[in-house]
Amino acid sequence: MSIGLSKATDHLKNTLARCAEAGCETGLMLAKDWNVEADVRMGKDAVKVLVYFNAKGTLTPKVQGKQSALKELVELQLHGDEPQRSPFLPADLTMWIGVDESGKGDYFGPIVAAAVLVTPDILLKMRSVLVRDSKELSAVRITKAAGELREICKDHSTVVTVMPERYNDFMSGDSFGKNSQRILAWMHARCIENLLEKHEKVHHAVCDKFANESVIERALLPRGKKITVHQHVRAEADPAVAAAAILARDEFVRRMRQLEAQAGCTLPLGASDERGIVAAGKHILDTGGKAALGQYAKLHFRTSQMVMQRWGTKDAFGGP
């Protein structure tokens, strides 16, 4: 066996072992003239992992397949013990901030933004935690992963939460122009500023793309305006953003449990479960009156009109 083939085989074996630990099904390895390869599956999704080699033993690992949570998972496993890099930043960059949020599309519950500042050491330690898109993880897995990330990141992470009552105040006041995107941008900026207060030598941050790209730049304070914020679609492909997404989702779930205990009923996630949302809204209105709904729900959602009409009034808090 040539040196290149031997190294490529070992690399693929290790990758497949990590994929199996992450819950994937792995196929048989096939050796070809200048690469070794194997299929990896999860549910209905499948990708192919290939490790190319040359006569000098240089390896080029790749994942082939449509963009999916599975592909992102396998790509996180592919580079052995080397720190994971951002697909959006220069390859030699060793420290940056990732920001993500949870709850903006949920009628009930808060909006939570989180940020993680990664270094080579943190990237290496959190590789095994970032095994799947946070949206694909169960609440139990989110809680476990978030606990591990908090232990790894320590003062390199931060969370900013806006509960429904405060969110509704923001949306009805003049500070944010009744614009939810500006509230979210302020939360992202606050997360970035929180980390920059403790870590001054950071020059880059990554987050999901805002519809108006300048809105987050306007929200940054003088310290934050000195860094470059990179906005990208599917920003969770960045490991710092992926870690921030897990922390944000965990805090959102924790706060939702508190609100459910306070309300005495289940609060459906999202905004599409019409029957569940109406039932929960009616319970809150019956027990606490119209003012109580604003403690649990984002009142500017059109959903408020439906809830109030089902309850017996057309007053929907001035929703659009």
Side-chain angles (χ1 to χ4, degrees):
M1 182 182 292
S2 69
I3 294 176
L5 177 57
S6 177
K7 290 176 63 177
T9 301
D10 288 343
H11 190 100
L12 183 57
K13 283 181 179 178
N14 291 335
T15 299
L16 294 178
R18 286 191 292 271
C19 289
E21 290 177 2
C24 301
E25 298 178 13
T26 58
L28 296 175
M29 289 196 305
L30 299 176
K32 298 189 175 181
D33 288 342
W34 294 107
N35 75 279
V36 290
E37 61 186 56
D39 292 331
V40 177
R41 296 179 176 276
M42 179 177 284
K44 296 181 179 179
D45 292 330
V47 296
K48 186 183 294 292
V49 184
L50 307 98
V51 182
Y52 293 93
F53 59 90
N54 61 23
K56 296 181 180 180
T58 301
L59 305 183
T60 306
K62 293 184 177 180
V63 180
Q64 289 182 348
K66 67 178 183 180
Q67 193 63 40
S68 63
L70 173 62
K71 187 176 182 182
E72 291 181 10
L73 182 157
V74 174
E75 286 172 341
L76 287 171
Q77 314 307 315
L78 191 59
H79 298 285
D81 292 331
E82 297 177 9
Q84 178 68 19
R85 300 301 185 190
S86 172
F88 311 119
L89 300 174
D92 59 349
L93 195 65
T94 61
M95 183 167 59
W96 70 93
I97 293 170
V99 192
D100 204 20
E101 76 286 326
S102 184
K104 68 179 180 181
D106 294 85
Y107 177 61
F108 291 113
I111 293 183
V112 181
V116 171
L117 167 59
V118 294
T119 64
D121 182 56
I122 288 175
L123 284 166
L124 183 59
K125 289 179 180 178
M126 73 183 190
R127 282 186 53 81
S128 62
V129 182
L130 305 181
V131 296
R132 197 180 303 177
D133 188 322
S134 67
K135 298 178 183 64
E136 301 294 323
L137 291 174
S138 67
V140 173
R141 289 286 300 279
I142 282 284
T143 298
K144 182 176 184 296
E148 293 174 1
L149 286 172
R150 283 191 289 268
E151 181 63 27
I152 291 168
C153 297
K154 300 186 186 303
D155 69 343
H156 284 62
S157 67
T158 186
V159 174
V160 172
T161 302
V162 173
M163 296 299 289
E165 197 164 12
R166 189 182 185 200
Y167 178 85
N168 293 324
D169 287 342
F170 284 161
M171 285 297 292
S172 62
D174 297 326
S175 298
F176 296 99
K178 299 178 176 60
N179 186 318
S180 60
Q181 188 181 70
R182 289 178 61 183
I183 297 174
L184 189 61
W186 170 77
M187 295 175 69
H188 277 53
R190 185 67 264 171
C191 284
I192 292 171
E193 296 285 348
N194 287 349
L195 291 178
L196 292 178
E197 287 177 4
K198 301 177 182 178
H199 309 278
E200 298 179 353
K201 297 181 179 180
V202 185
H203 303 293
H204 297 271
V206 179
C207 68
D208 268 322
K209 189 173 183 178
F210 280 78
N212 181 350
E213 292 193 4
S214 65
V215 68
I216 189 171
E217 296 172 3
R218 293 198 299 267
L220 290 166
L221 297 175
R223 186 184 284 108
K225 291 184 184 298
K226 296 178 181 179
I227 74 169
T228 301
V229 179
H230 305 262
Q231 300 180 50
H232 295 275
V233 176
R234 294 187 60 83
E236 273 195 53
D238 180 289
V241 177
I246 289 174
L247 294 181
R249 192 63 185 174
D250 180 61
E251 181 64 10
F252 174 80
V253 170
R254 188 181 74 83
R255 296 283 190 161
M256 281 290 282
R257 287 172 178 161
Q258 291 178 345
L259 288 175
E260 287 180 331
Q262 180 179 322
C265 66
T266 298
L267 301 177
L269 300 176
S272 61
D273 180 5
E274 181 175 322
R275 179 178 296 181
I277 287 174
V278 168
K282 186 176 185 303
H283 173 84
I284 292 168
L285 291 163
D286 286 343
T287 55
K290 187 173 69 173
L293 190 61
Q295 299 174 26
Y296 303 93
K298 302 175 184 74
L299 297 180
H300 77 290
F301 276 41
R302 293 185 184 277
T303 309
S304 293
Q305 296 176 342
M306 175 185 67
V307 171
M308 295 302 295
Q309 288 169 0
R310 297 291 180 86
W311 190 56
T313 177
K314 294 182 179 180
D315 184 355
F317 308 96

